[in-house]
Amino acid sequence: MKHFSVITALIATLAVQADTRLDDELKYYFDLHTVQDEGYEMVTNYALHGDTLLTNLPPTPLQLLNIGRWKGIGRRGTGMECDSAGRIIIGRYDNDTLAVGIRVDSAGVYSGDFANGLAHGHGCSIDSDGTYFEGQWRGDRREGFGFSIAPQAHLRIGQWQQDRYLGERMSYTSNRIYGIDISRYQHGKGRKKYPIAWNRLRISHLGKNQKHATGAVDYPVSFVFIKSTESTNIRNPFFVSDYAQARRQGIPVGAYHFFSCKTSGAAQARHFIFNTLFKRGDLPPVLDLEPPAAQIAAIGGTQALFRQVRTWLSAVERRTGVKPILYVSQSFVNRYLKDAPDLKQHYQVWIARYSEYKPDVKLAVWQLSPNGRVAGIRGEVDINVFNGFQTQWEEFLEEMTLK
């Protein structure tokens, strides 16, 4: 049973490597999820018991099932073989069919269901770099729901397709925290102007891409961000009145500034501070950062851009006493935010991602749709959801609002 002892030692080594994944990731997950979320019980089981590779080892004695000739009978029982790719498999066979087992190769270890000699069904794996995955497989690829933890990376939980992570599919219920963001466009375009009926605000539609709502969509507006300024010379003429109305209705409110690459971060910060109201209990100020590639190139590249961004953030934090939030798109995250690791580490993110899948970042707020509907507002409205539930929302308000 030399091969068996080698396999056991390799699995044990990989399990130790997998244990280096950060416990903070699980704490972060449980802080922001409940049993209502898909996969919650699977992650809970992992947090309590760790991976299941070692406990899935079949009992000895083993048979070498693919050595010699077989006539008239199929392989049956627990055995060990090498598949056509040279991978060692220990598994249970019935009528010549491998149903469940453990497979080892240079890439790592897989333990779970098989079909036609391939990982298929529910299973877990530990790669040679210590990455752990548990979930659904099809034809040796991760397919369907699962979660993954990698050393020096955050937990990924949600849907997978052809080994590619798509994201977490959120279920929308009445106990989530929803909000909106508005600008002058919610008051009409051109000569037609429409008031907002602040005493009637209710979210009635989450947007065209959001199809996983449970029950009727009829949610209160629990927060609102209002555009205040842009660049160094643009103001929202409705900001002051909308801000006052939101506070009058008891809705937590914050202001945002639309950043321009054509003027300095310091000048834009002065413009925002001078034209914006800041009161105790307000949400953190927001920097709306979504410059096109041509403007980033014109300013001198991403490092030049982020120098101006840091200047704005520092000036506004000095004035308000709280760290601003960064509003960015998913494409901006993918292309540019990796060049500013300090911003990713120290600033909360409000991200625009118009997909059914939750963004694969640590975030405060997700703008999930640009075309929702809100009773009391004419036309389409941006719909947002806070990353957490009521307890986390109360903690956010306690820690992040202006004092």
Side-chain angles (χ1 to χ4, degrees):
M1 291 295 97
K2 178 181 178 182
H3 294 291
F4 181 78
S5 61
V6 171
I7 293 171
T8 304
L10 177 56
I11 292 174
T13 300
L14 293 174
V16 170
Q17 292 177 355
D19 284 338
T20 63
R21 67 188 71 83
L22 299 177
D23 290 339
D24 288 346
E25 289 301 317
L26 291 173
K27 181 180 183 302
Y28 176 78
Y29 175 84
F30 289 119
D31 281 346
L32 299 174
H33 293 76
T34 73
V35 71
Q36 299 177 64
D37 292 307
E38 184 180 20
Y40 185 87
E41 292 182 357
M42 185 187 298
V43 181
T44 299
N45 183 68
Y46 174 82
L48 293 174
H49 305 294
D51 65 71
T52 58
L53 284 176
L54 291 175
T55 60
N56 282 347
L57 279 171
T60 54
L62 299 175
Q63 307 170 57
L64 299 179
L65 295 179
N66 65 343
I67 296 177
R69 297 183 178 182
W70 295 78
K71 292 184 178 180
I73 61 172
R75 292 172 289 183
R76 180 170 298 175
T78 300
M80 181 172 67
E81 69 164 298
C82 289
D83 66 9
S84 59
R87 299 176 293 189
I88 300 173
I89 301 174
I90 304 173
R92 293 198 306 269
Y93 294 79
D94 185 26
N95 195 25
D96 213 30
T97 299
L98 172 64
V100 62
I102 293 178
R103 184 182 63 202
V104 180
D105 62 12
S106 59
V109 180
Y110 167 80
S111 172
D113 298 333
F114 283 84
N116 300 317
L118 303 177
H120 195 95
H122 184 85
C124 53
S125 66
I126 297 179
D127 294 344
S128 56
D129 66 356
T131 299
Y132 178 84
F133 174 84
E134 181 175 354
Q136 295 298 309
W137 298 73
R138 178 183 298 171
D140 264 354
R141 294 186 177 185
R142 292 167 290 183
E143 183 81 19
F145 183 83
F147 77 94
S148 173
I149 303 178
Q152 310 304 318
H154 58 274
L155 185 150
R156 287 181 163 187
I157 180 167
Q159 297 294 319
W160 300 71
Q161 186 178 70
Q162 294 288 301
D163 262 347
R164 183 171 65 92
Y165 178 65
L166 299 179
E168 181 179 354
R169 181 180 284 139
M170 184 179 290
S171 177
Y172 302 103
T173 60
S174 59
N175 62 348
R176 292 196 180 275
I177 310 300
Y178 301 93
I180 60 175
D181 59 276
I182 60 175
S183 65
R184 66 181 178 87
Y185 295 109
Q186 274 63 52
H187 290 275
K189 296 181 180 180
R191 295 182 178 180
K192 292 186 177 181
K193 302 299 180 186
Y194 306 106
I196 292 177
W198 285 92
N199 62 337
R200 295 198 304 113
L201 296 189
R202 298 285 295 188
I203 297 172
S204 59
H205 194 275
L206 293 177
K208 297 176 182 178
N209 293 330
Q210 311 310 320
K211 303 176 182 178
H212 297 279
T214 300
V217 176
D218 181 23
Y219 307 141
V221 173
S222 297
F223 61 91
V224 58
F225 286 102
I226 305 172
K227 182 176 180 179
S228 174
T229 55
E230 179 176 341
S231 188
T232 57
N233 58 352
I234 298 175
R235 295 187 300 116
N236 174 10
F238 300 96
F239 171 77
V240 173
S241 60
D242 284 343
Y243 173 90
Q245 290 284 356
R247 287 186 63 92
R248 188 172 295 121
Q249 295 298 322
I251 303 174
V253 59
Y256 73 89
H257 171 82
F258 190 92
F259 191 83
S260 170
C261 291
K262 298 180 180 180
T263 56
S264 72
Q268 292 186 67
R270 288 193 295 270
H271 180 58
F272 175 69
I273 291 169
F274 182 79
N275 292 286
T276 304
L277 299 172
F278 304 104
K279 295 183 180 180
R280 181 183 177 88
D282 283 352
L283 298 174
V286 175
L287 181 60
D288 184 340
L289 187 60
E290 44 184 321
Q295 288 190 17
I296 295 176
I299 200 176
T302 55
Q303 293 307 320
L305 167 67
F306 287 129
R307 280 196 295 272
Q308 298 301 326
V309 166
R310 293 184 186 97
T311 298
W312 190 97
L313 294 170
S314 297
V316 172
E317 182 176 354
R318 286 195 299 271
R319 166 61 182 83
T320 63
V322 298
K323 281 188 177 298
I325 292 175
L326 277 176
Y327 172 92
V328 291
S329 67
Q330 183 69 60
S331 61
F332 188 91
V333 170
N334 296 342
R335 294 180 183 178
Y336 307 119
L337 202 55
K338 62 181 181 297
D339 295 333
D342 58 314
L343 299 185
K344 290 181 66 176
Q345 180 179 357
H346 298 298
Y347 290 88
Q348 297 204 50
V349 172
W350 170 17
I351 191 171
R353 177 178 169 87
Y354 307 142
S355 162
E356 65 176 314
Y357 298 108
K358 185 177 177 181
D360 185 24
V361 296
K362 289 187 175 180
L363 76 159
V365 179
W366 175 19
Q367 186 184 85
L368 56 92
S369 170
N371 45 35
R373 293 285 180 174
V374 178
I377 300 179
R378 183 183 289 263
E380 296 179 336
V381 184
D382 294 340
I383 304 298
N384 302 272
V385 61
F386 174 72
N387 189 27
F389 292 90
Q390 185 63 36
T391 298
Q392 293 78 32
W393 175 241
E394 292 172 1
E395 292 173 353
F396 178 85
L397 295 178
E398 177 66 25
E399 296 173 4
M400 295 297 296
T401 52
L402 275 64
K403 305 298 188 284

